Amino acid sequence: MSHARLAELIEKKQAIIGVIGLGYVGLPLVRAFTAAGFRCMGFDVDQSKVDKLNAGQSYIKHIDSGALAQLIRDKKFEPTAELGRLGEADCIIICVPTPLNESRDPDLSYIEGTARSIARSLRPGQLIVLESTTHPTTTRVNVWPVLEGTGLRCGVDYFLAFSPEREDPGNPHFQAATIPKVVGGFDEGSGTLACDLYGHAIVKVVRVSSMEVAEACKILENTYRAVNIALVNELKVLYDKLGIDVWEVIEAAKTKPFGFQAFYPGPGLGGHCIPIDPFYLTWLARKHGEQTRFIELAGEVNTHMPQYVVNRLAEFLNQQRKPINGTRIAMLGVAYKKDVDDPRESPSFELMKLLLERGAVLTYNDPHVPDLPKMRHYPDLPAMTSQELTADYLASHDCVVIATDHSAYDYDFIVKHSKFVLDTRNATKAVSAGREKIRKA
Ligand SMILES: NC(=O)c1ccc[n+]([C@@H]2O[C@H](COP(=O)([O-])OP(=O)(O)OC[C@H]3O[C@@H](n4cnc5c(N)ncnc54)[C@H](O)[C@@H]3O)[C@@H](O)[C@H]2O)c1
């Protein structure tokens, strides 16, 4: 009965979608569902985010404030911090954070807290979908028992599925609605409901046989990236010693029409996903007496990259008879990747810490990050604000480190006015004048 009723609501687009966690994943999802004609409620424990949304202000660069304000005026989207209202939603999608704790083990407290919030108002006829990235078995082990504790039965009274988010912030070619969605249900009925729901809003739904396959799929995707980035980072170090430019090698290898996919080296991994998610699997492997050696090794190689960049900088400054101590360094880019305003896990913070420890006089510019946010792992970094990227600013520094290759940067201008440029992203590849001032790392 519950199934048929919910299926009908989904079919007629009358089901109310409740998205929990209005961040980089949750907000684009709201956009996809409202665009498909559904009414959305958005739940977040951060009252300041809810207030901003209700005032029609987006806090995510690539989500347009005007469009958001219109959705709120039209009552197609209602943000709220009242999790007690979760019972009003027919389909609840969980997009809360999944970080690592201090000992680099999975921190499932956000997922578990959310499951408890849902359980408090769980009613027959609701579909719950977990989208947060996590290791296989989380939905069954950490969510399902909490919901069953209400006395309602999964597959009969309510429905449960896992469907990983594949958001790529800053990528102009893909949005939540245009990225195929993998879905695994707790049971046949749950899987069908979740597929039907996403089918209205997402270009393609890929159904898999279980929630665990869907969970494992997402971790495979992220581990694949972490390992391949580590590979090119390792080769960057070797090829550099041999006088070979790894970026040129990758461009050449990319011309092979099969069997090769390009990954690029950089100053280290960043973002909420790639440096973190693979270690969920490592933790799970340990629990089962197995090892994930590729993941550990990739972590080691990638974690070493900021130190490598600083060592390269020290070498080049040394050639100019300069120490890092007292040298004025301008860091360009503190977002973890190009064209986003997200600084989470950005290698720029480690670079800054290492440079400051060595006595550098540091400033930064990032067109997308006006103030350096306080980061949990870098409590000692001083407060800084983004400096205006003028010719005088560049010229007043001994060295410019390109840490993030934002498209907004004019690299000809940067090289022209800088004394020395350390480029960790091959961002200056098209610059022809002043190349003698550029070093890659
Ligand atoms: N950012 C990405 O590009 C990306 C891509 C794919 C998958 N993911 C995964 O999606 C999940 C969410 O990531 P994100 O980047 O959107 O995080 P985020 O920090 O941008 O957003 C999460 C939101 O959840 C809120 N929140 C925390 N606990 C809550 C609770 N108990 N109830 C309600 N709201 C709560 C936070 O206030 C925050 O606004 C993570 O598992 C992440 O790994 C992220």
Side-chain angles (χ1 to χ4, degrees):
M1 195 59 208
S2 291
H3 186 280
R5 171 79 185 122
L6 183 54
E8 190 186 341
L9 287 177
I10 291 173
E11 173 61 26
K12 293 183 173 162
K13 298 187 183 180
Q14 287 168 354
I16 296 175
I17 316 297
V19 174
I20 308 182
L22 301 172
Y24 285 89
V25 165
L27 266 191
L29 206 60
V30 165
R31 186 171 58 181
F33 276 109
T34 48
F38 287 89
R39 200 161 86 69
C40 283
M41 295 177 76
F43 296 88
D44 204 295
V45 285
D46 186 339
Q47 182 71 50
S48 68
K49 283 189 175 170
V50 170
D51 291 344
K52 276 194 187 131
L53 293 173
N54 277 317
Q57 289 167 21
S58 168
Y59 38 76
I60 294 180
K61 193 176 74 69
H62 56 279
I63 301 278
D64 178 55
S65 288
L68 205 61
Q70 189 64 47
L71 286 176
I72 288 168
R73 270 197 303 277
D74 294 347
K75 303 204 179 317
K76 289 183 178 159
F77 175 37
E78 186 187 357
T80 176
E82 287 177 57
L83 274 77
R85 293 183 59 196
L86 278 165
E88 294 175 37
D90 301 297
C91 303
I92 296 176
I93 304 180
I94 307 170
C95 308
V96 295
T98 42
L100 295 171
N101 64 20
E102 284 304 321
S103 29
R104 295 193 73 69
D105 288 338
D107 176 359
L108 293 175
S109 61
Y110 296 90
I111 290 182
E112 289 169 345
T114 305
R116 286 194 294 274
S117 298
I118 296 171
R120 279 193 274 277
S121 47
L122 189 69
R123 59 167 171 81
Q126 281 186 310
L127 166 69
I128 318 298
V129 185
L130 178 61
E131 286 212 9
S132 303
T133 307
T134 182
H135 57 257
T137 66
T138 304
T139 315
R140 196 176 299 277
V141 170
N142 302 81
V143 177
W144 176 58
V146 180
L147 303 181
E148 290 286 298
T150 60
L152 297 176
R153 288 295 153 255
C154 189
V156 179
D157 303 311
Y158 73 94
F159 306 93
L160 181 62
F162 182 85
S163 177
E165 184 50 57
R166 288 167 155 172
E167 182 70 9
D168 186 14
N171 184 336
H173 306 297
F174 292 102
Q175 294 188 344
T178 60
I179 304 170
K181 199 108 178 65
V182 172
V183 175
F186 177 88
D187 61 299
E188 181 65 24
S190 296
T192 304
L193 285 171
C195 286
D196 290 350
L197 176 66
Y198 285 115
H200 283 294
I202 312 287
V203 63
K204 183 177 178 191
V205 176
V206 181
R207 186 168 182 172
V208 293
S209 62
S210 66
M211 301 188 294
E212 286 74 15
V213 170
E215 291 165 328
C217 165
K218 173 69 186 181
I219 295 255
L220 167 64
E221 291 166 15
N222 286 0
T223 301
Y224 171 76
R225 285 191 62 74
V227 168
N228 280 288
I229 292 169
L231 175 65
V232 287
N233 274 332
E234 189 170 74
L235 291 181
K236 169 180 76 172
V237 176
L238 171 65
Y239 284 177
D240 185 65
K241 279 220 160 127
L242 303 173
I244 300 167
D245 182 332
V246 70
W247 282 277
E248 192 184 346
V249 174
I250 295 168
E251 285 315 300
K254 244 169 79 174
T255 60
K256 183 178 178 184
F258 49 86
F260 181 83
Q261 194 191 342
F263 287 86
Y264 296 96
L269 288 185
H272 186 308
C273 301
I274 313 297
I276 291 176
D277 302 339
F279 291 98
Y280 272 62
L281 208 50
T282 300
W283 175 85
L284 188 66
R286 268 204 313 274
K287 257 184 75 174
H288 288 266
E290 294 293 337
Q291 288 181 343
T292 51
R293 280 171 291 177
F294 273 108
I295 294 175
E296 305 275 6
L297 183 59
E300 236 173 77
V301 173
N302 290 327
T303 308
H304 178 65
M305 279 304 119
Q307 184 63 61
Y308 172 75
V309 170
V310 171
N311 292 349
R312 292 280 286 161
L313 179 64
E315 270 171 41
F316 296 131
L317 288 174
N318 190 45
Q319 285 164 10
Q320 300 163 41
R321 298 168 195 269
K322 281 194 183 125
I324 288 182
N325 198 346
T327 289
R328 289 178 58 80
I329 297 175
M331 175 94 58
L332 301 193
V334 294
Y336 81 89
K337 70 168 182 174
K338 71 191 285 184
D339 304 341
V340 301
D341 56 359
D342 187 352
R344 288 177 294 177
E345 307 289 326
S346 169
S348 298
F349 288 86
E350 184 67 18
L351 284 174
M352 285 184 165
K353 181 184 138 220
L354 294 172
L355 290 170
L356 287 170
E357 277 170 4
R358 291 191 178 203
V361 181
L362 200 64
T363 63
Y364 88 93
N365 166 277
D366 192 313
H368 307 299
V369 186
D371 299 295
L372 198 67
K374 273 273 162 229
M375 300 307 251
R376 202 158 49 120
H377 300 301
Y378 299 95
D380 298 331
L381 281 185
M384 289 190 217
T385 51
S386 174
Q387 304 295 302
E388 207 184 330
L389 195 64
T390 61
D392 284 348
Y393 171 71
L394 292 165
S396 68
H397 286 75
D398 301 299
C399 172
V400 167
V401 177
I402 300 175
T404 315
D405 49 343
H406 289 309
S407 311
Y409 284 141
D410 178 342
Y411 293 102
D412 285 304
F413 177 85
I414 289 167
V415 173
K416 181 174 176 198
H417 296 287
S418 303
K419 292 189 184 112
F420 172 69
V421 177
L422 190 73
D423 182 358
T424 69
R425 302 276 190 177
N426 200 26
T428 55
K429 58 180 177 290
V431 174
S432 47
R435 288 215 69 84
E436 70 286 353
K437 293 191 270 182
I438 305 170
R439 296 287 186 283
K440 297 184 191 178

